[in-house]
Amino acid sequence: TVRPSKSVAKSRRLQGEAEFPTKGSMRVQILDTAGKPLETASVQISAWTSDKKFRATQLYTTDAQGVATVRLPKTVQILRLWANKAGYCGEFKNFQTDSAVHSLAIPDDYQFRLVKGIPIGGVVKDPAGRPIEGAKMQFSYSGNFFGDKYALTDADGRWTIADVRPDEEIVIIKVTHPNYLCDSRGGEIQKEQKITTAALRAQTASIVLQHGLRIAGQVTDPSGKGVKGAILLSGDTPYWDNSKPPILADAEGRFQFPVMPNGPQRITVLAKGWMPDSRMVEISPGMKPVNFQLKPGKKLRIRFLDRDGKPVPNVYVTVAEWRHVHELSTNPNWKVKMPIPKSSRFDDLDRKSVV
C-alpha cells in the first residue's frame, strides 16, 4: 500500500453545494509520453467534502509501476489532482460539476502522461556586476500564475529550472530577493531588461537587480512595551498581493521590511487585542525609523435582522476596507495564523482569523 508521505490542511467544503459519492479510493498512474511508468512521482489530491475527519490535501508517491492508490472521502464536491516528477512538466486534473451538468463521477483509475521538460536558466547580478546568491526564480507561461517550483541562484549567481514545457513560445520569469528591488507581479524586470525566451532556453539570460531602501521600526503598546508578533503589511491590497509577504515583529516589537523603491508606501499594523493602525510612509535616503504605538482594541457588535425583525444567524462578516486597506485580515495570504475566540459563530467555518 502506498501511503501519503504528507498530509496537510483540514477538511474543506462549499456551503450549499451538492456532494457526490466515491468508492473510497482511486488508482492514479503516472507515465511518460512513451508509456513508461514514472516511479517516485508525486500525486497531490485536494478534496472538498463535508467529512470533517478527512484531510483535505494529501500527497502520495508512485511505486515502480508509476501507481499511487489515493484515499478519498465517502462523498466529494470537488476533487483535484496534481501529478509531478522532477525533470517533467506537471499536469493537473479537476473533477467538478458546472451549471450545465450537475453530476460528478469519480473514475476508479486515472492516468497522467508527463512531458519531459527542457531547462531554462541564466545569471543574476547587482549593478556592479557582482553575482547575487539566493535570488528566487519562478516561471509562468501566462504571467498570471507562478507555481511552487522555483530555483535559487548559487554563489555565482547562476540558476537553472529543468522542467519547462518545450512547446511554449513565451516563458515569463519572476525574480525576488529580500535585499534587492524585485518583481511584484512577475515579468516586470524581464520586460524592462528585454530578457527573451530564447535567452532563457539558452541559459544565457543576464538579469540585474537594483538596490533599494528598507522600512524598519518598532510596534509598542501605550506604555512603550514592544508588541511581540504584531503583523505588518505593505500596500493597499495585502490580502491579494503575494509579492509582499507580511512581516512579524520580534519579541521587542521591532520589524524590518525587505527593500522597497523610493516613494510613498502604506504600512498597516495588526495585533490581537489592539486596534489596527495604518499610515503612508515616504521611503527616501536617511529616513527615520517608522514606529507605531497601538491602542487597546474595542469590539464592534453587529446584529442582523430580516424584514420582519427576526434575528438572522450565521452571517459571515469581513472588513472590506479600512483606511484604504482592502480585505483587512490578521491572516494575509494565509501565511499568518491567529486563532479567533472560541465564542465566535465562525468556529464551524474553519476560519483561522477574523478581524
Side-chain angles (χ1 to χ4, degrees), residues 1-6 30 40-45 54 57-62 67-72 82 84:
T1 302
V2 180
R3 297 185 180 277
S5 57
K6 184 179 180 183
I30 302 180
T40 68
S42 67
V43 179
Q44 180 178 318
I45 75 162
F54 187 84
T57 302
Q58 300 183 27
L59 186 64
Y60 295 79
T61 302
T62 59
V67 173
T69 301
V70 303
R71 187 172 66 90
L72 300 177
W82 290 263
N84 288 283

Side-chain angles (χ1 to χ4, degrees), residues 168-240:
E168 292 290 341
E169 295 183 2
I170 298 176
V171 178
I172 300 172
I173 55 171
K174 182 177 181 179
V175 190
T176 53
H177 193 291
N179 298 331
Y180 295 87
L181 298 179
C182 304
D183 282 324
S184 176
R185 301 293 182 182
E188 299 98 319
I189 294 176
Q190 179 180 2
K191 182 178 180 180
E192 178 185 343
Q193 300 183 15
K194 299 180 180 179
I195 306 297
T196 65
T197 299
L200 291 170
R201 288 182 173 153
Q203 301 184 59
T204 59
S206 182
I207 297 170
V208 177
L209 297 185
Q210 302 294 326
H211 297 286
L213 299 172
R214 295 181 185 273
I215 297 176
Q218 186 179 25
V219 182
T220 63
D221 64 16
S223 69
K225 182 180 178 181
V227 179
K228 179 182 178 180
I231 302 166
L232 293 105
L233 315 171
S234 60
D236 294 339
T237 56
Y239 183 85
W240 301 109

Side-chain angles (χ1 to χ4, degrees), residues 106-267:
I106 305 299
D108 297 336
D109 297 88
Y110 191 81
Q111 189 179 91
F112 287 99
R113 287 182 179 260
L114 303 189
V115 176
K116 187 73 173 176
I118 62 172
I120 61 172
V123 64
V124 180
K125 302 178 181 180
D126 68 9
R130 294 183 293 261
I132 296 176
E133 183 178 4
K136 183 178 181 180
M137 313 298 297
Q138 296 170 274
F139 74 94
S140 170
Y141 305 119
S142 64
N144 296 323
F145 175 75
F146 292 85
D148 295 331
K149 294 181 180 180
Y150 66 90
L152 296 177
T153 55
D154 60 19
D156 296 322
R158 301 207 64 85
W159 63 277
T160 302
I161 297 177
D163 43 12
V164 177
R165 292 187 180 278
D167 56 348
E168 292 290 341
E169 295 183 2
I170 298 176
V171 178
I172 300 172
I173 55 171
K174 182 177 181 179
V175 190
T176 53
H177 193 291
N179 298 331
Y180 295 87
L181 298 179
C182 304
D183 282 324
S184 176
R185 301 293 182 182
E188 299 98 319
I189 294 176
Q190 179 180 2
K191 182 178 180 180
E192 178 185 343
Q193 300 183 15
K194 299 180 180 179
I195 306 297
T196 65
T197 299
L200 291 170
R201 288 182 173 153
Q203 301 184 59
T204 59
S206 182
I207 297 170
V208 177
L209 297 185
Q210 302 294 326
H211 297 286
L213 299 172
R214 295 181 185 273
I215 297 176
Q218 186 179 25
V219 182
T220 63
D221 64 16
S223 69
K225 182 180 178 181
V227 179
K228 179 182 178 180
I231 302 166
L232 293 105
L233 315 171
S234 60
D236 294 339
T237 56
Y239 183 85
W240 301 109
D241 192 349
N242 285 299
S243 66
K244 299 177 180 178
I247 301 299
L248 290 180
D250 65 14
E252 297 179 348
R254 299 188 184 281
F255 66 90
Q256 181 175 264
F257 277 92
V259 296
M260 298 180 182
N262 290 7
Q265 180 68 246
R266 176 170 295 280
I267 302 298

Side-chain angles (χ1 to χ4, degrees), residues 300-313:
L300 172 64
R301 298 187 180 275
I302 305 174
R303 190 182 187 197
F304 292 87
L305 306 174
D306 62 18
R307 292 182 179 180
D308 297 324
K310 296 180 179 179
V312 180

